[in-house]
Amino acid sequence: MQDQCEMRLSRRWRVLLVVCSLTMLLPVVLFVAPPTAAERVLVIALVVCQAGAVWWMDRRPVFVTIVSLFTGASLELLHVQVGPGIALIVLTTFSWLRPARTSLWGLAVAVLFFALAAGTAGQWSDALLWSGAALLAWSWGALGRARSAQRDAEARRLVQQERARITRELHDVLAHTVSLMVLQAAAADDVFDTHPDKAREAVAALESVGRQALGEVRRLLEVIDREPAVSAPGLKDLDRLVESMSRAGVEVVVNRHGTDGTAVAPRVTETAYRIVQESLTNVLRHASTDRAEVDVRIAAGQLMVAITDNGGGSRLDHGNGRGLDGMRRRAAELGGRFEAGPSTAGGFRVAAWLPVRS
């Protein structure tokens, strides 16, 4: 899972660690003279070791953390109080880079080194202070890692959600268009020799449906890279949808109630259009009927669309396809409700209730 992955440290952050180390430790070398020359040389060596080690934090984080904690504790033992401070910054970075089960070893080593250094010098209060600081530093890094993991998970969720949406859009467009094109091509073939004028009409309708499908597919592809040049379909496009169905031999009657002057969110109108489109495609493919009725109603803050046909509503393949699942998910994403099943008058009925402000 996300907590098991190993994050990377950017070059900019490594440069910042080195600069921070030198900024904090060089004044110690220059202005805080240890009692003896040997101790002064040792302090300089530890400062160089600690500042240089952090540059490799991205490649060898465990080794660098142990070295930094050891040098920090050694500087504490030499009464250089800022030494452990750099080690704590390294510990914070380590707990951000690695999962908790790994970085907890760094916390344990920090507490051990600081306690030993302070205990050797007889400063047990300092041991408690630095141990608490190590715990705080580790916690801060672990919290940063958790937040980074949460942001990454949310980004992946949004990407998957968008992929699913585009997949549904393509399914609806292609399923509807291919069904119409197959019927138009079959109609043209049937009358090609006896009624060439009707065959030409069917071919012209075939071309029109194909161009509409290309336009919608192009819009979906543009969504991936930038804002689409063509607006998403909505309730205003129902007439065009009805016209394409009539060319395929299915008469569709649209009844509108309360739709004039009522503002509906674009996302809601697009969802309603896709539900009507997929339902009519199912009528065309499964219902074995030449008539369907679409009711569009806005009342009590909800947009209701219902599609009813008078075909074989009891047929299993009419109600168990992927299209119904997609419609159900569309409605649920907007906080709406979806129903599908045989109608009381025979045939099949699909209905969805969507909040107009989603």
Side-chain angles (χ1 to χ4, degrees):
M1 302 297 288
Q2 176 67 25
D3 189 54
Q4 303 303 318
C5 74
E6 296 182 352
M7 298 184 178
R8 305 297 298 177
L9 194 64
S10 67
R11 179 185 178 90
R12 179 180 300 180
W13 182 250
R14 285 185 287 135
V15 170
L16 182 61
L17 283 176
V18 173
V19 171
C20 183
S21 299
L22 294 176
T23 301
M24 294 183 65
L25 296 176
L26 281 180
V28 175
V29 177
L30 296 176
F31 304 111
V32 181
T36 65
E39 289 182 345
R40 183 179 182 87
V41 171
L42 182 57
V43 167
I44 294 175
L46 290 173
V47 167
V48 172
C49 180
Q50 191 173 49
V54 296
W55 176 255
W56 306 100
M57 188 69 187
D58 185 52
R59 298 182 182 179
R60 304 290 297 276
V62 176
F63 176 75
V64 170
T65 300
I66 293 176
V67 170
S68 182
L69 292 173
F70 176 78
T71 55
S74 300
L75 289 171
E76 180 189 6
L77 187 61
L78 295 172
H79 306 288
V80 180
Q81 295 299 317
V82 296
I86 300 300
L88 294 180
I89 296 176
V90 173
L91 179 61
T92 300
T93 306
F94 180 61
S95 65
W96 179 80
L97 288 173
R98 293 295 184 266
R101 67 179 185 181
T102 301
S103 62
L104 273 173
W105 288 102
L107 174 61
V109 171
V111 173
L112 177 63
F113 282 178
F114 293 156
L116 288 176
T120 302
Q123 303 292 331
W124 292 108
S125 59
D126 288 348
L128 182 61
L129 174 64
W130 285 115
S131 297
L135 177 60
L136 182 62
W138 178 87
S139 301
W140 187 258
L143 178 61
R145 179 182 177 82
R147 289 180 174 176
S148 297
Q150 184 178 13
R151 288 193 297 267
D152 292 344
E154 178 64 15
R156 288 197 303 273
R157 186 190 67 81
L158 292 176
V159 169
Q160 292 173 353
Q161 185 178 21
E162 183 65 10
R163 285 177 178 173
R165 187 189 70 82
I166 293 176
T167 300
R168 288 197 305 271
E169 294 284 340
L170 286 173
H171 168 265
D172 291 348
V173 171
L174 296 178
H176 175 75
T177 303
V178 171
S179 297
L180 290 178
M181 294 177 73
V182 168
L183 288 175
Q184 294 290 356
D189 183 64
D190 289 340
V191 298
F192 188 81
D193 294 325
T194 58
H195 298 85
D197 54 336
K198 292 184 178 180
R200 291 191 188 92
E201 291 179 3
V203 172
L206 186 65
E207 179 185 7
S208 175
V209 171
R211 290 183 182 278
Q212 292 177 11
L214 284 176
E216 292 204 40
V217 171
R218 187 178 298 112
R219 180 186 63 83
L220 290 174
L221 294 178
E222 288 176 347
V223 168
I224 299 176
D225 298 323
R226 60 186 185 277
E227 289 296 322
V230 181
S231 61
L235 295 179
K236 63 183 184 300
D237 300 296
L238 284 182
D239 292 337
R240 186 182 65 182
L241 182 61
V242 168
E243 182 181 355
S244 66
M245 292 293 297
S246 65
R247 290 177 178 174
V250 178
E251 179 185 0
V252 179
V253 178
V254 179
N255 303 312
R256 303 174 188 264
H257 305 278
T259 60
D260 295 336
T262 303
V264 183
R267 185 184 177 194
V268 176
T269 61
E270 181 182 3
T271 298
Y273 175 87
R274 293 301 185 195
I275 290 176
V276 174
Q277 182 186 51
E278 181 63 27
S279 298
L280 293 179
T281 301
N282 284 342
V283 171
L284 191 64
R285 297 170 59 186
H286 303 300
S288 299
T289 183
D290 59 357
R291 179 178 173 81
E293 186 172 341
V294 177
D295 291 319
V296 182
R297 184 185 304 270
I298 297 179
Q302 284 191 323
L303 168 64
M304 187 274 287
V305 290
I307 305 89
T308 308
D309 66 68
N310 57 0
S314 61
R315 293 172 14 134
L316 293 178
D317 59 351
H318 189 75
N320 292 343
R322 174 175 175 173
L324 287 179
D325 292 336
M327 288 186 278
R328 187 173 289 105
R329 284 194 297 268
R330 284 181 182 277
E333 286 178 358
L334 297 180
R337 183 164 56 93
F338 178 83
E339 293 180 357
S343 63
T344 55
F348 201 84
R349 183 175 186 270
V350 171
W353 292 262
L354 310 171
V356 297
R357 297 299 184 185
S358 290

